Amino acid sequence: MRSPKSRSRNNKSNRNRNNPGNIINRVYDSSGPEGKVRGTPQQIIDKYTQLARDAFLSNDRVAGENFQQHAEHYTRLLGEAQREMEARRLQSEQQNRERQQREKEEREARAERKSPQGAAGEGDQPDITPQPDTMDEGAESGLVETPESKPKKAPARARKPRKPAKSDAPTSDDDATSGAPDAPEAAE
């Protein structure tokens, strides 16, 4: 079983993580002059802006300014989080572009190493002397005969169907002595 000290150390290290990507969707509890306001930064900004508008309409300039300052705080918080997210996105895109460029250069280098003479079919071609199409009947070609070059055999004939099996009961004396495989042999 773990001691409470080790658990508290783990919790402290988890709290110190810097994860601003979640600030935009994170739910906050804001203790303002009118009580608690709960929601995402944008919802809190909208709520304090509405409260400031209502305060100014009721000729309470002090409360209106107070609500505007609360709204401004969450506006700054949201703006900073958005800037950080945009910077991360741009950095990630730059890293992706650099990685793709490196991979492209590696592929090109591999292709060059694979064929250092150039692509197939390019460059000077060797001169080929024309060969006669047919050989003399009497001359031996020196080639080995392969199964593909042998003349094809005629297809085999179809087999006849089997005769039906004989029944167990012999119908005549000839069947009993014929030595059918089904009949048991006589003991001597």
Side-chain angles (χ1 to χ4, degrees):
M1 189 162 143
R2 289 184 177 177
S3 68
K5 270 188 173 181
S6 67
R7 266 188 254 141
S8 67
R9 277 190 217 125
N10 288 340
N11 288 340
K12 286 179 185 175
S13 65
N14 288 341
R15 266 187 257 139
N16 291 333
R17 289 187 184 156
N18 186 10
N19 191 2
N22 194 21
I23 290 177
I24 294 174
N25 296 326
R26 184 175 169 190
V27 175
Y28 289 93
D29 287 331
S30 174
S31 298
E34 291 280 317
K36 283 196 172 184
V37 176
R38 182 176 173 86
T40 64
Q42 187 60 52
Q43 291 170 336
I44 293 173
I45 292 167
D46 294 342
K47 179 67 174 178
Y48 279 131
T49 305
Q50 182 62 41
L51 288 171
R53 210 175 294 132
D54 292 344
F56 283 124
L57 287 176
S58 63
N59 291 329
D60 189 0
R61 291 178 41 194
V62 174
E65 287 292 327
N66 192 358
F67 289 129
Q68 281 184 336
Q69 287 178 356
H70 279 78
E72 182 184 358
H73 167 73
Y74 284 96
T75 303
R76 289 180 182 181
L77 183 86
L78 183 62
E80 182 154 342
Q82 288 174 337
R83 278 191 299 276
E84 286 180 18
M85 286 181 62
E86 182 67 16
R88 282 186 180 181
R89 185 185 65 78
L90 292 174
Q91 181 182 9
S92 175
E93 286 178 359
Q94 180 64 27
Q95 288 173 348
N96 284 341
R97 273 190 242 114
E98 290 171 359
R99 180 182 46 81
Q100 289 172 350
Q101 183 64 28
R102 276 194 316 268
E103 289 174 355
K104 181 181 176 185
E105 290 170 358
E106 288 173 5
R107 281 193 303 268
E108 290 172 354
R110 268 187 262 138
E112 287 176 9
R113 277 184 271 147
K114 196 172 188 180
S115 59
Q117 303 92 357
E122 293 180 0
D124 294 334
Q125 297 294 319
D127 293 330
I128 299 176
T129 57
Q131 299 290 325
D133 290 339
T134 59
M135 291 183 54
D136 295 337
E137 294 296 326
E140 193 171 315
S141 68
L143 298 175
V144 178
E145 190 173 308
T146 61
E148 292 85 20
S149 64
K150 288 184 182 178
K152 298 205 178 201
K153 293 182 182 178
R157 292 187 331 173
R159 289 186 166 186
K160 293 182 181 176
R162 283 188 173 179
K163 293 182 181 177
K166 295 182 181 179
S167 64
D168 291 338
T171 55
S172 67
D173 290 333
D174 291 336
D175 290 341
T177 58
S178 67
D182 295 351
E185 292 185 18
E188 289 185 36

